[in-house]
Amino acid sequence: MTTSAEPRRARDLGVPLDGEPGRWNAITDVPGVTVGYTTLVADDPAVTRTGVTAILPRGADLAGAPCAAGVAVLNGNGELTGRSWIEEAGQLQTPIAITNSHAVGAVHQGVDQWLAQHQPAVAAQWMLPVVGETWDGYLNSINAGSVRPEHAHTALDAAASGVIAEGNVGGGTGMNCYGFKGGTGTASRLVPAGERTWTVGVLLQANFGSRRELRVVGRPLGRDSEAPCPMETSGWFEGEVAAASGTARGPAVPGAGSVIVVVATDAPLLPDQCRALARRVPLGLARTGTTGSHFSGDIFLAFSTANSGGLGSRMGTPAGTVESIEHVSWGAIDGLYTAVVEATEEAVLNALVAARDMVGRDGHASFALPHDEVRDAFASAS
């Protein structure tokens, strides 16, 4: 696995992106939101290139406090646990975790255990953790069970505000995007709202798209790249299936994979408005070129940290209890939509730029988007 001394982001390479980012240009620009990682890289006893990403919408001290929330799906070949309750009640009241496809159970158990330790009053009722996944089996020994519940504990304990790492970290460690090394990416936008300013932040696990699709602000950098793309060209999948089953199958499908996107905002929103924000995520993804593969699980969650104390759901609530919550007028919501689209686009590009070349199981290699190709594409615009 190769490394670079200086992490970079899309803007550092001269990519002209729309909108005004927050202080850290990250989901953590939304007040109260914290993010933590567990990154697992080892060659023994199994080649491991994976991890866990944890997002605490209101931080550790308020880990069980509800937020208005909504979910949207572009293509359903993936998993996001807890989705049924979010759709039923319009609220999220647990941490969010993202990992690899075969580690959902271990991470779900880990979040349960962590909540029972840190928020026993929440655990005394019921817990439906939100755990999303994307598939890292090209680089990672995905069936080796390397992710355990304690790795979710570590990611949750590490959650903090401020600048957060991108690329080969957390659940994004072994992921690939547009035939390049992919991983974790984040971005944010500030949204003027009269005398106030709201923040929209996005964090995503990028593991989607075929090499020919990638566009960076309209430039076809994927199809023109000189970087090797063995994930799409080496025939590894066809050989492995034949060896395992004795039956020949076709090659891996370019664009297969998934993307989990989490959108946070401090703007006061109704659950249906959170769903509306989540539905705008595919517009940001499409700016980077994807057409949404049948073999990709593209699932999006949006939540609002406003209305603290509202949207409660507790057994023993007296009959007739009435709550009131504030929300943005539907007629004034377009700025938030724009922010979601812009931040999603930039988060994908940040994941690609931050990622570094990686060699994983059986010598499988994934190469990062060459920085010089990005710089050269936008040199005349700077």
Side-chain angles (χ1 to χ4, degrees):
M1 183 178 65
T2 64
T3 59
S4 173
E6 183 183 1
R8 289 188 175 272
R9 311 186 82 188
R11 290 174 185 261
D12 298 328
L13 300 180
V15 179
L17 291 155
D18 296 330
E20 181 183 358
R23 177 182 178 186
W24 298 301
N25 196 10
I27 194 172
T28 47
D29 285 314
V30 178
V33 175
T34 59
V35 174
Y37 300 120
T38 298
T39 299
L40 302 174
V41 176
D43 293 325
D44 185 68
V47 177
T48 303
R49 306 285 189 268
T50 194
V52 181
T53 299
I55 303 171
L56 291 163
R58 298 189 186 277
D61 291 341
L62 295 172
C67 296
V71 174
V73 178
L74 176 63
N75 195 69
N77 194 351
E79 181 64 88
L80 185 76
T81 70
R83 177 178 159 196
S84 295
W85 179 240
I86 293 170
E87 292 177 340
E88 175 71 24
Q91 56 144 295
L92 164 74
Q93 57 189 91
T94 69
I96 302 160
I98 318 174
T99 187
N100 78 60
S101 303
H102 298 182
V104 170
V107 173
H108 193 283
Q109 182 181 9
V111 175
D112 274 342
Q113 292 171 345
W114 186 90
L115 278 169
Q117 179 182 357
H118 293 270
Q119 298 287 338
V122 173
Q125 185 172 242
W126 78 83
M127 296 178 289
L128 294 169
V130 175
V131 182
E133 55 77 27
T134 64
W135 188 85
D136 59 13
Y138 173 70
L139 291 169
N140 178 50
S141 302
I142 196 168
N143 293 318
S146 300
V147 178
R148 301 186 298 275
E150 56 264 34
H151 295 130
H153 305 173
T154 302
L156 289 160
D157 286 338
S161 185
V163 176
I164 56 177
E166 295 172 285
N168 304 359
V169 294
T173 300
M175 302 302 167
N176 303 276
C177 184
Y178 288 118
F180 298 101
K181 183 67 187 69
T184 303
T186 190
S188 70
R189 289 295 184 273
L190 300 179
V191 182
E195 296 181 355
R196 296 182 288 184
T197 299
W198 291 317
T199 303
V200 172
V202 166
L203 184 142
L204 52 79
Q205 190 162 291
N207 191 54
F208 68 100
S210 67
R211 174 64 65 88
R212 63 179 174 77
E213 290 179 323
L214 175 64
R215 291 180 174 269
V216 179
V217 192
R219 310 287 178 92
L221 298 195
R223 73 184 188 199
D224 295 338
S225 179
E226 296 184 1
C229 188
M231 189 175 183
E232 294 184 6
T233 62
S234 67
W236 65 274
F237 181 76
E238 187 174 10
E240 288 186 6
V241 171
S245 66
T247 304
R249 296 278 183 91
V253 175
S258 295
V259 58
I260 297 292
V261 184
V262 178
V263 179
T265 184
D266 58 353
L269 298 179
L270 298 168
D272 275 345
Q273 293 176 318
C274 292
R275 280 189 281 271
L277 262 60
R279 286 197 300 271
R280 268 62 188 181
V281 167
L283 300 177
L285 298 177
R287 287 188 175 192
T288 66
T290 183
T291 55
S293 169
H294 169 72
F295 294 101
S296 187
D298 309 329
I299 307 175
F300 323 119
L301 167 67
F303 65 84
S304 166
T305 61
N307 291 304
S308 178
L311 293 167
S313 178
R314 290 284 179 263
M315 293 181 182
T317 301
T321 298
V322 175
E323 290 184 349
S324 297
I325 62 171
E326 187 180 41
H327 69 90
V328 173
S329 170
W330 278 103
I333 203 170
D334 282 353
L336 298 174
Y337 291 166
T338 300
V340 171
V341 174
E342 292 176 352
T344 299
E345 176 189 22
E346 185 165 4
V348 172
L349 301 181
N350 284 340
L352 287 165
V353 171
R356 298 294 180 262
D357 300 350
M358 180 174 280
V359 176
R361 68 174 184 89
D362 299 321
H364 293 174
S366 184
F367 296 91
L369 175 66
H371 290 181
D372 287 347
E373 291 181 358
V374 181
R375 287 193 192 94
D376 292 347
F378 296 99
S380 61
S382 61

